[in-house]
Amino acid sequence: MGHLPEKRGALARALSQVLTGAKHPVSRQSGPFNDDPAKSLEDERTFTQLVQTALSRTSRAAEERSAAPSHLAELLALTPHEREVAVVIDPRYQTYALASYTLERCEKAVLYDPALARELARLARAISMHADPMTCGGSAALADLEAYSLAMEGNALRVAGELRTGFQTFLEARQAEERGGADPDLGARIDFLEASLRRDLRQFGAALHLLDRAGKAFQALKDRNQMARTVINRANVYIVQGEFAQAIATLEGALAFSCEPSLALMVRHNLIDILAKSGRAQEASHLFDQSRELYLQFSDPLTTSRRLWVEGIIARELGKDLELAESRLTLAIERLTTAGYGFDAALAGLDLVTVYAARNQAAQVLRTAARLVQLFEARNVQPEALAALTMVYKAAQKETVSLALLSHVTELVRASQVLGSSAG
């Protein structure tokens, strides 16, 4: 072990030479491992060269990271074809830093523009496929980045309601991941994103397994924000399963998490939603009032629409102001549709139908039910769910729509995009 301090000293001297611009290596004291002066000098030069290379790469990585925002803006200003060509021929657009930054933008864009998020994910993948492995940790690191890009694209498709296409994209992500495995953080993030898709496909066992795996990785990495997201996603699985008490307990436990404001809001919003839908609307209303200022910190279309949506549900469940429920749900549907969240808009439409039914507005039920049939047909909903929606439409024609029927149809629609057993 006596040679370790000597080696550290050599590294420190090499760093000092590079940083101060010294032209000659500093002499070392002789010792049991440096009896040959010529060999000692050669070792010193080797250390210096290694340090110079490391510092050069670090400096270049910092420059690439600094340039990433402007380079992404340049690419987005091009037409899709021009962008594709630029990534292939221009080294400025072939860096790990640019692909990583593009995915950061993608994660934010999915909140307000799923189509843009998908475009950014596809661009990040193209960049990763043309980056030089020698500049970013090797081909395995690039394979991880490509896999994460595909997972982000799959998630954007999921948010937009394109579950089948999203599932196929996640299959591609897993194939790319087989060539990687160098980055445990990206691997855990892929697990987390796929868990959301599996939940929406009602493959609950697979979703919980992926969340278990992601949670262990995030805990090992000491990433509290991602750990909070994993807890929230687990509660969402319980909600879709109808295990409301377990979901509420999970979310209440997450209220104490020290995490960023957007995650704190997510915990509160999901808890408000499930309280309102499980017969505890008064508690939901109280928590909503407590969270109002937190909601207003975020103006993106998805957060705004969800605030209006859950406020409409609370008003409906309290039964005191069905006009407020109607206005909030109508506005939420309009904003969700405009922002490209078609599947969410259609689900909110089912909540609106229940308000019309409670107010005995048969004409509105008929009109909305007809529009929902068209929306869900466009979303490739399973025949069973379309048949159920048609039942609502026919019942509306006869003015015999019941809340029980609407509740049944809502569950069928939420389950409508389940894949076959080969999916999981």
Side-chain angles (χ1 to χ4, degrees):
M1 296 295 291
H3 66 288
L4 292 179
E6 184 69 24
K7 289 294 184 182
R8 288 200 294 267
L11 181 57
R13 284 191 296 277
L15 278 167
S16 176
Q17 293 165 34
V18 172
L19 295 174
T20 61
K23 295 183 179 179
H24 303 288
V26 180
S27 62
R28 299 189 299 176
Q29 295 179 352
S30 61
F33 292 95
N34 60 329
D35 292 334
D36 185 348
K39 183 65 170 60
S40 175
L41 182 60
E42 181 61 31
D43 286 346
E44 199 81 43
R45 287 171 176 165
T46 300
F47 267 107
T48 301
Q49 290 171 354
L50 289 172
V51 171
Q52 286 175 326
T53 300
L55 289 175
S56 173
R57 289 181 178 176
T58 300
S59 176
R60 181 169 60 185
E63 291 173 358
E64 290 172 351
R65 179 68 183 177
S66 178
S70 60
H71 286 167
L72 178 59
E74 292 168 7
L75 285 172
L76 293 179
L78 302 174
T79 66
H81 176 70
E82 290 171 337
R83 192 180 307 143
E84 183 179 336
V85 172
V87 170
V88 172
I89 67 174
D90 194 331
R92 293 181 304 153
Y93 306 134
Q94 300 171 350
T95 69
Y96 188 101
L98 178 56
S100 181
Y101 176 74
T102 302
L103 288 172
E104 290 176 17
R105 284 282 305 275
C106 174
E107 185 176 6
K108 295 176 181 177
V110 77
L111 295 174
Y112 61 88
D113 191 340
L116 173 61
R118 184 184 182 190
E119 184 178 355
L120 289 168
R122 291 171 67 87
L123 176 59
R125 183 193 181 195
I127 294 168
S128 70
M129 294 175 70
H130 289 90
D132 182 358
M134 296 296 292
T135 66
C136 57
S139 57
L142 285 176
D144 286 336
L145 192 63
E146 181 187 353
Y148 184 50
S149 301
L150 283 162
M152 290 291 280
E153 180 182 357
N155 187 56
L157 288 163
R158 177 192 69 82
V159 171
E162 303 292 339
L163 301 188
R164 286 182 177 79
T165 308
F167 179 78
Q168 294 299 322
T169 305
F170 269 101
L171 289 180
E172 293 183 55
R174 293 303 186 182
Q175 291 173 353
E177 192 180 21
E178 290 179 359
R179 296 183 277 107
D183 192 328
D185 177 60
L186 292 185
R189 288 170 183 264
I190 293 170
D191 284 344
F192 173 82
L193 293 173
E194 186 178 341
S196 295
L197 177 68
R198 297 286 185 165
R199 178 201 67 217
D200 289 357
L201 293 171
R202 302 182 73 83
Q203 298 170 356
F204 303 126
L208 292 172
H209 171 71
L210 288 165
L211 289 173
D212 286 341
R213 195 163 68 182
K216 290 177 182 177
F218 291 136
Q219 185 173 15
L221 294 167
K222 295 180 169 43
D223 189 333
R224 294 188 63 81
N225 284 333
Q226 287 299 121
M227 288 170 61
R229 288 188 174 94
T230 303
V231 171
I232 294 166
N233 208 343
R234 175 176 292 277
N236 288 340
V237 174
Y238 294 143
I239 289 171
V240 180
Q241 283 182 295
E243 298 178 8
F244 298 150
Q246 196 164 1
I248 289 171
T250 301
L251 291 169
E252 287 177 337
L255 285 174
F257 259 70
S258 176
C259 54
E260 60 189 28
S262 62
L263 291 174
L265 176 60
M266 195 180 301
V267 170
R268 287 173 169 269
H269 172 82
N270 289 4
L271 183 54
I272 291 166
D273 185 63
I274 189 57
L275 285 171
K277 292 176 178 176
S278 59
R280 298 166 65 177
Q282 196 62 54
E283 293 175 61
S285 179
H286 181 64
L287 184 57
F288 181 83
D289 289 338
Q290 289 182 333
S291 308
R292 193 179 296 275
E293 289 187 6
L294 187 56
Y295 270 111
L296 296 178
Q297 290 182 27
F298 302 91
S299 59
D300 62 272
L302 187 56
T303 301
T304 301
S305 299
R306 284 175 172 170
R307 173 176 57 81
L308 293 166
W309 189 353
V310 78
E311 190 175 7
I313 291 172
I314 291 171
R316 180 193 69 188
E317 294 301 308
L318 289 174
K320 296 177 181 178
D321 194 343
L322 292 178
E323 288 186 6
L324 176 64
E326 178 185 344
S327 66
R328 292 295 187 268
L329 289 169
T330 300
L331 187 54
I333 293 165
E334 290 174 356
R335 294 192 178 187
L336 286 166
T337 303
T338 300
Y341 300 100
F343 194 65
D344 281 344
L347 289 174
L350 283 171
D351 286 321
L352 179 59
V353 169
T354 64
V355 174
Y356 289 143
R359 298 182 68 188
N360 296 313
Q361 294 176 305
Q364 292 282 33
V365 170
L366 181 61
R367 183 161 47 250
T368 305
R371 188 164 69 243
L372 286 175
V373 170
Q374 294 175 340
L375 278 172
F376 284 118
E377 279 182 333
R379 292 282 161 186
N380 297 317
V381 172
Q382 293 283 6
E384 294 82 359
L386 279 175
L389 284 167
T390 303
M391 285 170 55
V392 173
Y393 179 70
K394 290 180 178 179
Q397 287 179 313
K398 299 176 182 178
E399 300 185 12
T400 58
V401 173
S402 68
L403 294 179
L405 172 62
L406 289 171
S407 177
H408 178 62
V409 169
T410 299
E411 286 305 307
L412 282 173
V413 171
R414 289 186 185 277
S416 67
Q417 300 212 19
V418 179
L419 298 182
S421 58
S422 62

